[in-house]
Short mmCIF file of all heavy atoms in Angstrom, two decimals:
data_model
loop_
_atom_site.label_atom_id
_atom_site.label_comp_id
_atom_site.label_asym_id
_atom_site.label_seq_id
_atom_site.Cartn_x
_atom_site.Cartn_y
_atom_site.Cartn_z
N SER A 191 117.72 130.96 135.57
CA SER A 191 119.02 131.64 135.32
C SER A 191 120.18 130.71 135.40
O SER A 191 121.03 130.74 134.50
CB SER A 191 119.14 132.80 136.36
OG SER A 191 119.06 132.30 137.66
N ALA A 192 120.24 129.88 136.46
CA ALA A 192 121.43 129.07 136.66
C ALA A 192 121.74 128.13 135.49
O ALA A 192 122.86 128.12 134.96
CB ALA A 192 121.26 128.22 137.93
N ALA A 193 120.70 127.46 134.99
CA ALA A 193 120.93 126.56 133.87
C ALA A 193 121.34 127.33 132.60
O ALA A 193 122.15 126.86 131.81
CB ALA A 193 119.68 125.70 133.63
N LEU A 194 120.74 128.48 132.40
CA LEU A 194 121.00 129.27 131.18
C LEU A 194 122.35 129.89 131.20
O LEU A 194 122.94 130.16 130.14
CB LEU A 194 119.91 130.32 131.02
CG LEU A 194 118.48 129.84 130.87
CD1 LEU A 194 117.51 130.98 130.71
CD2 LEU A 194 118.38 128.88 129.70
N ILE A 195 122.90 130.14 132.39
CA ILE A 195 124.25 130.71 132.48
C ILE A 195 125.25 129.78 131.83
O ILE A 195 126.21 130.21 131.17
CB ILE A 195 124.61 131.05 133.96
CG1 ILE A 195 123.79 132.24 134.45
CG2 ILE A 195 126.11 131.31 134.13
CD1 ILE A 195 123.96 132.50 135.93
N TYR A 196 125.04 128.48 132.06
CA TYR A 196 125.98 127.48 131.55
C TYR A 196 125.67 127.09 130.11
O TYR A 196 126.55 126.58 129.42
CB TYR A 196 125.95 126.25 132.43
CG TYR A 196 126.48 126.49 133.82
CD1 TYR A 196 125.63 126.62 134.91
CD2 TYR A 196 127.86 126.63 134.04
CE1 TYR A 196 126.16 126.86 136.17
CE2 TYR A 196 128.34 126.85 135.29
CZ TYR A 196 127.49 126.99 136.35
OH TYR A 196 128.01 127.22 137.62
N THR A 197 124.44 127.29 129.69
CA THR A 197 124.08 126.83 128.37
C THR A 197 123.98 127.94 127.35
O THR A 197 124.22 127.71 126.13
CB THR A 197 122.71 126.12 128.38
OG1 THR A 197 121.70 127.01 128.95
CG2 THR A 197 122.77 124.85 129.22
N MET A 198 123.71 129.19 127.71
CA MET A 198 123.61 130.31 126.77
C MET A 198 124.71 131.32 126.97
O MET A 198 124.93 132.19 126.13
CB MET A 198 122.26 131.02 126.89
CG MET A 198 121.06 130.18 126.46
SD MET A 198 119.61 131.19 126.08
CE MET A 198 119.55 132.34 127.43
N GLY A 199 125.43 131.25 128.09
CA GLY A 199 126.40 132.25 128.39
C GLY A 199 125.84 133.48 129.06
O GLY A 199 124.59 133.55 129.27
N THR A 200 126.68 134.41 129.39
CA THR A 200 126.22 135.65 130.05
C THR A 200 126.49 136.91 129.24
O THR A 200 126.37 138.01 129.75
CB THR A 200 126.92 135.77 131.43
OG1 THR A 200 128.34 135.80 131.21
CG2 THR A 200 126.53 134.62 132.33
N PHE A 201 126.87 136.73 127.97
CA PHE A 201 127.10 137.88 127.11
C PHE A 201 125.76 138.50 126.67
O PHE A 201 124.93 137.83 126.10
CB PHE A 201 127.90 137.44 125.90
CG PHE A 201 128.08 138.53 124.85
CD1 PHE A 201 128.89 139.65 125.14
CD2 PHE A 201 127.43 138.43 123.64
CE1 PHE A 201 129.04 140.63 124.16
CE2 PHE A 201 127.56 139.42 122.68
CZ PHE A 201 128.37 140.52 122.96
N ILE A 202 125.63 139.80 126.98
CA ILE A 202 124.42 140.50 126.60
C ILE A 202 124.51 140.90 125.11
O ILE A 202 125.22 141.80 124.74
CB ILE A 202 124.22 141.75 127.48
CG1 ILE A 202 124.15 141.35 128.93
CG2 ILE A 202 122.94 142.51 127.06
CD1 ILE A 202 124.08 142.54 129.89
N ASN A 203 123.79 140.13 124.29
CA ASN A 203 123.88 140.28 122.85
C ASN A 203 122.70 141.14 122.35
O ASN A 203 121.57 140.83 122.59
CB ASN A 203 123.84 138.89 122.20
CG ASN A 203 124.21 138.95 120.73
OD1 ASN A 203 124.28 140.01 120.12
ND2 ASN A 203 124.43 137.78 120.17
N ASP A 204 123.01 142.22 121.64
CA ASP A 204 122.01 143.13 121.14
C ASP A 204 121.35 142.59 119.87
O ASP A 204 120.25 143.05 119.50
CB ASP A 204 122.57 144.51 120.82
CG ASP A 204 122.94 145.29 122.11
OD1 ASP A 204 122.21 145.07 123.13
OD2 ASP A 204 123.91 146.03 122.10
N SER A 205 122.03 141.67 119.19
CA SER A 205 121.47 141.06 117.95
C SER A 205 121.56 139.54 118.04
O SER A 205 122.31 138.91 117.31
CB SER A 205 122.23 141.61 116.72
OG SER A 205 122.19 143.00 116.66
N PRO A 206 120.81 138.94 118.93
CA PRO A 206 120.94 137.50 119.11
C PRO A 206 120.28 136.71 117.99
O PRO A 206 119.30 137.15 117.38
CB PRO A 206 120.17 137.25 120.44
CG PRO A 206 119.19 138.39 120.48
CD PRO A 206 119.83 139.56 119.86
N THR A 207 120.87 135.59 117.69
CA THR A 207 120.32 134.64 116.76
C THR A 207 120.18 133.29 117.46
O THR A 207 120.65 133.10 118.57
CB THR A 207 121.16 134.52 115.47
OG1 THR A 207 122.47 133.99 115.85
CG2 THR A 207 121.35 135.84 114.80
N LEU A 208 119.58 132.35 116.75
CA LEU A 208 119.33 131.04 117.39
C LEU A 208 120.61 130.35 117.77
O LEU A 208 120.69 129.61 118.72
CB LEU A 208 118.50 130.16 116.45
CG LEU A 208 117.93 128.86 117.05
CD1 LEU A 208 116.98 129.20 118.17
CD2 LEU A 208 117.28 128.05 115.96
N LEU A 209 121.69 130.62 117.03
CA LEU A 209 122.96 129.92 117.27
C LEU A 209 124.01 130.81 117.90
O LEU A 209 125.18 130.46 117.94
CB LEU A 209 123.50 129.36 115.94
CG LEU A 209 122.62 128.35 115.24
CD1 LEU A 209 123.29 127.88 113.94
CD2 LEU A 209 122.35 127.14 116.15
N SER A 210 123.60 131.97 118.40
CA SER A 210 124.55 132.87 119.06
C SER A 210 124.25 132.95 120.57
O SER A 210 123.22 132.46 121.03
CB SER A 210 124.47 134.25 118.48
OG SER A 210 123.23 134.87 118.73
N GLN A 211 125.21 133.53 121.32
CA GLN A 211 124.98 133.74 122.72
C GLN A 211 123.96 134.82 122.95
O GLN A 211 123.70 135.66 122.09
CB GLN A 211 126.31 134.10 123.39
CG GLN A 211 127.27 132.97 123.55
CD GLN A 211 128.44 133.32 124.45
OE1 GLN A 211 128.78 134.50 124.58
NE2 GLN A 211 129.07 132.35 125.06
N GLY A 212 123.34 134.76 124.13
CA GLY A 212 122.39 135.78 124.50
C GLY A 212 121.97 135.58 125.95
O GLY A 212 122.29 134.56 126.59
N THR A 213 121.27 136.53 126.48
CA THR A 213 120.83 136.47 127.90
C THR A 213 119.30 136.68 127.97
O THR A 213 118.76 137.58 127.31
CB THR A 213 121.51 137.57 128.72
OG1 THR A 213 121.30 138.83 128.14
CG2 THR A 213 122.98 137.30 128.89
N SER A 214 118.69 135.80 128.75
CA SER A 214 117.25 136.01 129.04
C SER A 214 117.14 137.19 130.02
O SER A 214 118.14 137.73 130.51
CB SER A 214 116.65 134.74 129.66
OG SER A 214 117.25 134.48 130.91
N LEU A 215 115.91 137.59 130.35
CA LEU A 215 115.73 138.70 131.25
C LEU A 215 116.32 138.39 132.62
O LEU A 215 116.97 139.22 133.25
CB LEU A 215 114.24 139.03 131.40
CG LEU A 215 113.55 139.60 130.13
CD1 LEU A 215 112.07 139.77 130.37
CD2 LEU A 215 114.19 140.96 129.78
N ALA A 216 116.09 137.18 133.07
CA ALA A 216 116.64 136.80 134.39
C ALA A 216 118.15 136.77 134.43
O ALA A 216 118.77 137.25 135.38
CB ALA A 216 116.05 135.41 134.84
N VAL A 217 118.76 136.21 133.36
CA VAL A 217 120.22 136.20 133.30
C VAL A 217 120.79 137.60 133.11
O VAL A 217 121.83 137.91 133.59
CB VAL A 217 120.70 135.28 132.18
CG1 VAL A 217 122.18 135.25 132.04
CG2 VAL A 217 120.18 133.86 132.38
N HIS A 218 120.03 138.45 132.42
CA HIS A 218 120.44 139.85 132.31
C HIS A 218 120.54 140.49 133.69
O HIS A 218 121.48 141.25 133.99
CB HIS A 218 119.44 140.61 131.42
CG HIS A 218 119.96 141.92 130.91
ND1 HIS A 218 119.72 142.33 129.62
CD2 HIS A 218 120.68 142.89 131.49
CE1 HIS A 218 120.30 143.50 129.44
NE2 HIS A 218 120.90 143.85 130.60
N ILE A 219 119.52 140.23 134.53
CA ILE A 219 119.59 140.73 135.91
C ILE A 219 120.85 140.23 136.61
O ILE A 219 121.55 141.01 137.27
CB ILE A 219 118.32 140.33 136.67
CG1 ILE A 219 117.09 141.05 136.09
CG2 ILE A 219 118.43 140.68 138.14
CD1 ILE A 219 115.80 140.59 136.71
#
């Protein structure tokens, strides 16, 4: 989670793409 917060952001994206922001399950929590 920690590394992804800084690299992918914390925006919960309903239509994520490879070059857009998104959250993994852990970051979603």
Side-chain angles (χ1 to χ4, degrees):
S191 57
L194 299 181
I195 288 172
Y196 293 104
T197 56
M198 294 200 314
T200 58
F201 173 69
I202 301 174
N203 192 349
D204 290 327
S205 303
T207 63
L208 191 61
L209 299 180
S210 68
Q211 286 190 335
T213 53
S214 65
L215 291 175
V217 178
H218 196 140
I219 293 175

